[in-house]
Amino acid sequence: MQMIPDFNNILQKNNLLNPKQHVLLAVSGGVDSIVLFHLMQKIPKTKRPKVSIAHINHQLRPEASKEASFVEQLAEEYDVPFYLYVWEKSKQPTSGVEEAAREMRYAFFKEVMGKTGANVLMTAHHQDDQVETILMKLTRGSTLEQLTGIQLTQAFAGGLLIRPLLPFSKTEIYAFAHQHHLMYFEDESNQGLAYSRNRFRNKIIPLFKEENAKFTEHIEQFAEDLQDLLEIAAYPIEEAFTKLVKKEQGQLSFKHQAFFEHSEAMQRALLQKVLETLYAESEISYKTNYIEIVRDWLRSGAVNTQLDLLENFVVKKTYHEVIFSKKERDHSSMAMDRYLIEELDQWVQLSETEAIGLFTTESEELEEDVIDTFVFSANKVAFPLTVRHRQPGDRMTYRGLAGTKKIKDIFIDEKVPLNERDQAWLVEDAKGQILWLISYRQMQLLSEQKTDKLTYILKYKKLTT
C-alpha cells in the first residue's frame, strides 16, 4: 500500500528514520493514532527510532478506562514503554473543557519527554483535521499565517513535534486499518454537534465534499500555497519593518510620514508584524481587526489620542510618532508619586534618571547636568513644596498670561507628545498653586526691581545611569 512508503518518506525528510531518535507517540486508541503506531512498527528495526507511548484517560466518557487498558495492552504486546495520565474529575473545569484538556495533554507530553529523554513528540493529526482547522479559523477571523493551518513540524519541549499523517485523508487511514485488521475505538462523541469542530466535521465539510470530492486535497494545497507566498513575502516585510520600527524600553514606535510612504498592503503587513511583536510574550493574541482599526485611526484620528488594546497594551499617536507599548499608569496612580522639598541644599531623586533640589541663589554654581532652573522670591510661596505629575484639571498662571490656563492646554500649545505629558513634573506650594511646570512654564515670583531679600533656586537635572 502506498501509505507506507509515503509515510517513511516524510520521516526520512525529518531525519526520523534513525534508531538514535526517541519518539513519544500520543495514542488515544482511535483509528488515527492506532494506524500511526502500526506505521511506526512497519519501519525496519535497523532504521526504527525508539518509540514510547503516552495516553491520557480524560474520564469524560464511560469507555475511557477501557481505551486506556487497550492502549496499555498494545504497548505491552510490542514491548513499548507506556505512560499514562488520568485527568481527575476534580481538576476538570466546568467550562472550556476542550481547551483545558488540550493544555493538560501537552503539559503531560512535555513532562514525559523531560523524564525519558524523548526528543520527538508525534501526534496523529491528519488531512481532515487540517481542513477542519483552516475552515474554523477562516470562520472566526484569523491572520493569513493562521490560515496555513496545522504545521507538519514545529519546535516543542526542546525537541520536535511532528504530525506525519497530515498528508493523509481519513479515508486512507480507515483503509489502512481495515486492510491490516487493526482494532481501535470509535469516539461516539465525535458524531455529536455540541462542539464546533464536530459541526464542521459532520455537517459543513460533507456539503463541500458533495460539491467536490477532492475538497480536502484542495484545502491542503491552498494551505501549502499560502505558506509558500508567506515565505516569499517575509523578507521584504522584515526589511521594511527593520528600517521603520524602533524598539526601545519595551515599546515599538515609528514615524507617521515614513509609515504612509509604504503601499497600503505593506502598511497592513507592517502593522501585523508590530502587533505580533507586541503580543509575542502575551498569553492572549491580538484581534485581527486591530490592523484595519489602527490603520484607519492613524489616517484620520486626532493627534495625541490613544487606542486601548487587549492585554493592557496601548497605541498612542503623537504629532510625529506612533508608539505601541504596555499601558502606563493612569493619572490616579501617577498622583501617588509625590515628593516633598523641605530642606535646602539637598537633592531629591524623582526617578532613575531625574532629581530636583532647592538652593539659595548664592550657595552654589550650576552643575553641567542641570537642564532647567526656577528662581523665585522666598516670601511669595508657602512651604513645603511638592513635586508631582499632572492631574486632571490642573491650572497655572505664568508671565504674560492674564488669569490661569490648564496644564493640558499648555501641552497642546507646545505640541508635547502624550507619553511625555504623563512623565512631566510640576512643583506646587503648600497652598496648591502651581509654581513651575518643569521645562515648559514658570510663575513670575520675582519683583521687577529685584529687591527681594531672599531668593531661592530650584534645579532640575538628569542623572547619568
Side-chain angles (χ1 to χ4, degrees):
M1 187 176 183
Q2 185 63 33
M3 190 171 184
I4 294 176
D6 288 348
F7 177 80
N8 288 345
N9 284 336
I10 293 170
L11 297 188
Q12 186 170 4
K13 287 180 181 179
N14 289 279
N15 193 33
L16 295 181
L17 289 178
N18 183 343
K20 294 182 179 180
Q21 298 277 32
H22 184 177
V23 174
L24 180 65
L25 192 61
V27 180
S28 67
V31 63
D32 311 323
S33 59
I34 292 299
V35 165
L36 178 57
F37 174 77
H38 283 281
L39 282 168
M40 292 295 289
Q41 299 305 311
K42 295 291 183 182
I43 300 172
K45 285 188 177 181
T46 55
K47 295 183 177 181
R48 186 188 310 161
K50 179 181 178 181
V51 175
S52 298
I53 287 178
H55 177 83
I56 293 94
N57 179 353
H58 293 84
Q59 296 201 100
L60 296 174
R61 296 177 293 109
E63 303 85 1
S65 295
K66 290 182 180 178
E67 291 173 0
S69 296
F70 167 71
V71 176
E72 186 173 12
Q73 290 172 9
L74 183 68
E76 290 178 0
E77 180 182 347
Y78 284 88
D79 193 25
V80 171
F82 175 76
Y83 301 91
L84 172 68
Y85 181 81
V86 179
W87 198 23
E88 300 296 341
K89 291 185 178 296
S90 60
K91 296 180 180 179
Q92 298 177 14
T94 55
S95 62
V97 175
E98 276 188 300
E99 183 61 28
R102 182 185 181 281
E103 290 180 2
M104 174 272 298
R105 286 196 297 273
Y106 282 93
F108 174 59
F109 298 150
K110 184 176 181 180
E111 179 184 349
V112 174
M113 290 175 72
K115 289 180 178 178
T116 63
N119 55 359
V120 178
L121 172 65
M122 191 176 287
T123 65
H125 293 88
H126 50 79
Q127 191 179 85
D128 292 57
D129 292 324
Q130 178 75 294
V131 172
E132 293 162 13
T133 298
I134 292 172
L135 290 182
M136 289 168 67
K137 288 182 178 293
L138 185 62
T139 302
R140 292 170 181 168
S142 300
T143 65
L144 287 178
E145 284 80 5
Q146 291 169 333
L147 292 180
T148 57
I150 306 169
Q151 300 303 302
L152 181 68
T153 62
Q154 68 184 71
F156 180 77
L160 191 67
L161 167 57
I162 183 169
R163 305 173 178 98
L165 295 187
L166 272 184
F168 303 102
S169 69
K170 189 81 169 185
T171 300
E172 291 175 288
I173 292 170
Y174 273 126
F176 183 91
H178 294 159
Q179 180 184 2
H180 293 271
H181 308 289
L182 303 180
M183 289 184 60
Y184 55 85
F185 278 78
E186 288 282 11
D187 184 350
E188 293 183 2
S189 67
N190 287 336
Q191 304 306 314
L193 301 178
Y195 297 125
S196 60
R197 183 172 289 274
N198 286 357
R199 292 192 291 275
F200 275 87
R201 177 180 300 154
N202 300 321
K203 292 188 68 176
I204 298 171
I205 292 176
L207 292 176
F208 281 110
K209 287 183 175 180
E210 286 181 14
E211 295 296 324
N212 190 326
K214 292 186 176 294
F215 172 71
T216 55
E217 290 92 330
H218 292 329
I219 292 294
E220 183 188 21
Q221 187 62 53
F222 160 79
E224 291 177 1
D225 291 345
L226 180 58
Q227 183 64 49
D228 289 344
L229 287 173
L230 290 172
E231 288 183 12
I232 293 170
Y235 177 75
I237 293 172
E238 181 66 35
E239 186 178 34
F241 177 84
T242 302
K243 290 180 179 179
L244 176 74
V245 179
K246 180 172 66 175
K247 300 179 184 179
E248 191 174 52
Q249 296 179 344
Q251 67 180 25
L252 305 172
S253 63
F254 56 78
K255 302 291 185 184
H256 288 175
Q257 183 177 352
F259 175 76
F260 283 109
E261 287 174 357
H262 290 285
S263 68
E264 291 188 7
M266 183 59 81
Q267 289 171 23
R268 285 189 285 268
L270 288 168
L271 286 177
Q272 180 177 335
K273 188 161 183 62
V274 167
L275 290 168
E276 287 173 352
T277 305
L278 192 69
Y279 281 83
E281 303 292 326
S282 175
E283 294 182 0
I284 299 176
S285 181
Y286 64 91
K287 293 182 178 294
T288 53
N289 63 349
Y290 279 1
I291 295 170
E292 282 304 322
I293 289 173
V294 172
R295 201 171 75 88
D296 289 344
W297 170 70
L298 292 179
R299 277 202 311 261
S300 57
V303 173
N304 278 328
T305 56
Q306 71 179 43
L307 291 176
D308 291 338
L309 310 177
L310 283 175
E311 276 292 270
N312 211 31
F313 288 111
V314 65
V315 51
K316 299 177 182 179
K317 180 165 64 170
T318 70
Y319 286 92
H320 303 292
E321 276 192 315
V322 182
I323 302 168
F324 293 77
S325 63
K326 270 286 188 183
K327 189 180 293 184
E328 296 172 357
R329 298 165 296 175
D330 59 24
H331 292 304
S332 60
S333 64
M334 286 179 181
M336 297 173 64
D337 284 345
R338 291 174 173 267
Y339 300 92
L340 289 181
I341 300 178
E342 300 180 278
E343 298 185 25
L344 284 169
D345 303 326
Q346 288 193 7
W347 289 100
V348 176
Q349 188 165 343
L350 303 176
S351 70
E352 291 183 359
T353 59
E354 302 165 290
I356 192 170
L358 178 66
F359 308 89
T360 61
T361 50
E362 296 84 11
S363 64
E364 191 174 320
E365 295 296 324
L366 290 181
E367 297 89 343
E368 290 183 1
D369 51 0
V370 170
I371 61 174
D372 199 10
T373 61
F374 173 44
V375 180
F376 60 94
S377 174
N379 62 358
K380 293 183 179 180
V381 302
F383 288 89
L385 305 181
T386 299
V387 187
R388 62 172 174 82
H389 293 294
R390 65 172 177 146
Q391 294 177 337
D394 277 340
R395 308 179 72 94
M396 73 175 295
T397 187
Y398 51 87
R399 182 194 293 270
L401 176 69
T404 62
K405 192 168 189 174
K406 286 184 177 180
I407 300 295
K408 174 183 176 182
D409 292 334
I410 295 173
F411 284 139
I412 291 174
D413 292 344
E414 295 291 330
K415 296 185 177 180
V416 179
L418 193 63
N419 63 314
E420 292 182 22
R421 300 179 194 184
D422 292 340
Q423 299 304 315
W425 296 99
L426 58 83
V427 180
E428 68 177 2
D429 72 357
K431 292 182 178 179
Q433 66 174 345
I434 296 175
L435 313 177
W436 186 24
L437 180 57
I438 297 177
S439 298
Y440 300 104
R441 294 289 190 277
Q442 301 178 358
M443 281 187 70
Q444 175 56 39
L445 293 175
L446 281 176
S447 300
E448 293 292 338
Q449 294 78 20
K450 299 183 180 180
T451 57
D452 301 292
K453 292 182 179 180
L454 178 60
T455 56
Y456 287 132
I457 180 170
L458 281 168
K459 303 177 185 179
Y460 169 75
K461 69 178 181 180
K462 288 288 187 178
L463 303 175
T464 55
T465 56

